[in-house]
Amino acid sequence: MLYYSTQDPEYQVSFQEALLTGLAPGGGLYLPQEIPSFTEEDLNLLKGKSLSETAFFVAERFIEDEIPTSVLRKICEEAYDFEVPIKKLEEDGAGVDIRVLELFHGPTLAFKDFAARFMARCVDYFLGEQDVRKTILVATSGDTGGAIGNGFLGMDNVDVNILYPKGGVSPVQEAQLTTMGGNIRAFEVNGSFDDCQRMVKEAFMDEALNEEFDLMSANSINVGRILPQSFYYVWSSLQLDLSEDQYLVYSVPSGNMGNITGAYFAQKMGSPIDHLVVSNNNNHPFVDYLESGEFEAVPSVPTISNAMDIGHPNNYYRIEHLFSGNVDRVRDYFSGYTFDDPQTLAAMQESYNRYGYLMCPHTAVGYLGAKAYLEGVEDDVCMVVAGTAHPAKFSDVVGKAGLSVEIPESLAKALEKEKKSVVISPSLDALSSALMKIV
Ligand SMILES: *Cc1c(COP(=O)(O)O)cnc(C)c1O
């Protein structure tokens, strides 16, 4: 399978190249030449499979013989060795038809682990014994940095440089991304997440930097992030025993839209998914686009669901391309809703008081989107909210909601370690000189 650039569909590369660079020349995003489709037989077969087996089945369609079968199987087994519960919200024993797909039981307690662990192992395979050294640049609004760092920690031929907005991530997130040490470095940028993301994009366009470093992006501009984010949608959609006339809808708390693009891939492949809900916080350029038909990037504003504080969602450009810019067709697949911080806190309280279920603020935005969608339809809907992070990662926000959460041991350990970061101003120059200094 070849991967083409959204900016120049004639420009096509292997999966290896798309993964190891991340961004196509000129800033285009890679997309697979075709999204494979499942046959009836495939779907029946997949119903009985575990998540890691499903991941292998799907990954093989996209990667084909670029990674030998036995290696790819092992990559999936190792990457997905944690549980992925699907919890039904129950009120005094009576279920409402909302479930939470808990994607936060990996090592850094957010769904970013799914992609990070898969990517790291694929990169490791491709680099093999080659005498090259990759430099990963990754901008994080909170969770990506920790997951990518954790995924690549200890790899000999990869350095990871994490850019995060100073003061813009939760204390637990900051501890996770500044205490790994080894081949993982953290840059604390005096600016917003959008600044971090822009600096990474500019670095890829900068000749001098590219001459000095073999750069790779690990943000969701990398198609290697999107593919593994389809695995758990394929898998979970086949675990739910839907009746004939039931619709399956996922509500995905969204920022850069990498997660929901994975869900769209799963739907396109033929998983029994009927519709997708984009749930945004006060940063909502995509929901505005669904309403007005015009996409406009806006400066991000800080919220309590900080991993979604994104004013310029990268993956909009994939969606635009996949739908040939036809917003009416986009609306057939996606609905969108936005919620502010007070609504988010109230949703966390409601979920806890009604169902005894504690949500992180992002998942709470997804829960609100699920409810908003359900209000507008009469169909029999099985609604699944993507639970994107463990509430303990946002214990400060949980406290604001008047609730409390126990900190798991792995997080407590990170909080005790010494923070190591380099503060830089929000410019490419500052990033370049910080990188050069390390060499
Ligand atoms: C990254 C993240 C999101 C947003 O995901 P996108 O793929 O950027 O849309 C939502 N919730 C949490 C907890 C995250 O870490």
Side-chain angles (χ1 to χ4, degrees), residues 4 31-32 35 261 264-265 317-325 329:
Y4 68 89
L31 275 169
I35 297 180
T261 303
Y264 172 71
F265 275 35
Y317 299 100
R318 283 201 169 94
I319 306 267
E320 179 190 44
H321 191 87
L322 289 166
F323 287 88
S324 311
R329 281 189 50 224

Side-chain angles (χ1 to χ4, degrees), residues 112 138-145 162-165 168-170 173 177 192-194 196-197 219 255-256 305-310 362 394:
K112 305 288 197 310
V138 58
T140 186
S141 56
D143 289 324
T144 302
I162 302 168
L163 282 72
Y164 73 96
V169 304
S170 85
Q173 288 173 324
L177 46 96
S192 66
F193 171 73
D194 290 336
C196 299
Q197 185 147 277
N219 280 105
N256 248 328
S305 46
N306 66 4
M308 314 197 301
D309 293 351
I310 289 158
H362 311 79
F394 304 92

Side-chain angles (χ1 to χ4, degrees), residues 110-112 141-144 173 220 225 229 252-260 307-308 310 315 360 362-363 388-389 394:
F111 82 91
K112 305 288 197 310
S141 56
D143 289 324
T144 302
Q173 288 173 324
S220 60
R225 281 276 301 277
Q229 287 171 182
V252 185
S254 292
N256 248 328
M257 312 249 322
N259 196 2
I260 205 163
M308 314 197 301
I310 289 158
N315 285 290
C360 91
H362 311 79
T363 308
T388 49
F394 304 92

